Amino acid sequence: MIQEFKDFIARGNVMDMAVGIIIGAAFTAIVTSLVGDLINPIIGIITGGTDFSSKYVVLSGTAPEGAGLQAARDAGANVFAYGAFLSAVINFLIIAFVVFLLVKGVNRIKDATTAKKEAVEEAPAGPTQEELLAQIRDLLATRAA
């Protein structure tokens, strides 16, 4: 069982997946910063200077008037944090779009590589066997004549 586990870990796919997870975590931090530091302030300007990510509605309990989302949660209020949810949706859409672009780029490179291989394989082939036999027949006919 230990040998099977070593073989599993040593496979290239597992290592590729590990690298992908590490890069994905770093990329998530970048996207979170993009949304929180760039997109939300722009949305805030459009909506009159409000902090989009801290928008919520108190469902039950009490929260101090004008308190931020974390302060309302710390006060024990049950909140409907629609701003945080919309930020998560924006994060997801950005990540999904970038992953789409990455997959599209990889597929384009893969297709270009495949097309080059096919072009090399489709080099002009010589005459077919039937054509060669016909040429031999014609040469023998001209010699006999």
Side-chain angles (χ1 to χ4, degrees):
M1 183 189 280
I2 293 174
Q3 183 59 38
E4 287 181 52
F5 181 71
K6 286 180 182 177
D7 293 341
F8 173 75
I9 293 298
R11 287 186 190 156
N13 292 342
V14 174
M15 298 309 276
D16 291 343
M17 183 177 65
V19 169
I21 289 170
I22 292 167
I23 291 174
F27 184 70
T28 299
I30 292 170
V31 171
T32 301
S33 175
L34 173 72
V35 172
D37 299 334
L38 300 176
I39 293 176
N40 283 346
I42 292 171
I43 292 174
I45 290 172
I46 293 171
T47 60
T50 58
D51 181 13
F52 179 69
S53 62
S54 66
K55 289 297 188 182
Y56 64 93
V57 174
V58 177
L59 298 176
S60 65
T62 57
E65 187 66 31
L69 176 60
Q70 191 58 44
R73 287 180 174 160
D74 291 342
N78 186 8
V79 295
F80 181 75
Y82 64 89
F85 174 74
L86 290 177
S87 292
V89 169
I90 292 170
N91 282 352
F92 170 76
L93 291 174
I94 291 171
I95 290 170
F97 181 70
V98 170
V99 168
F100 166 75
L101 292 177
L102 288 173
V103 169
K104 187 175 178 177
V106 168
N107 286 341
R108 184 176 295 149
I109 291 169
K110 207 183 277 188
D111 291 343
T113 303
T114 304
K116 287 180 183 178
K117 286 181 182 176
E118 288 176 2
V120 169
E121 290 174 5
E122 294 178 9
T128 63
Q129 190 174 15
E130 289 80 16
E131 292 171 341
L132 288 173
L133 289 173
Q135 289 175 1
I136 292 171
R137 181 198 64 211
D138 294 342
L139 284 173
L140 290 173
T142 56
R143 277 191 180 170

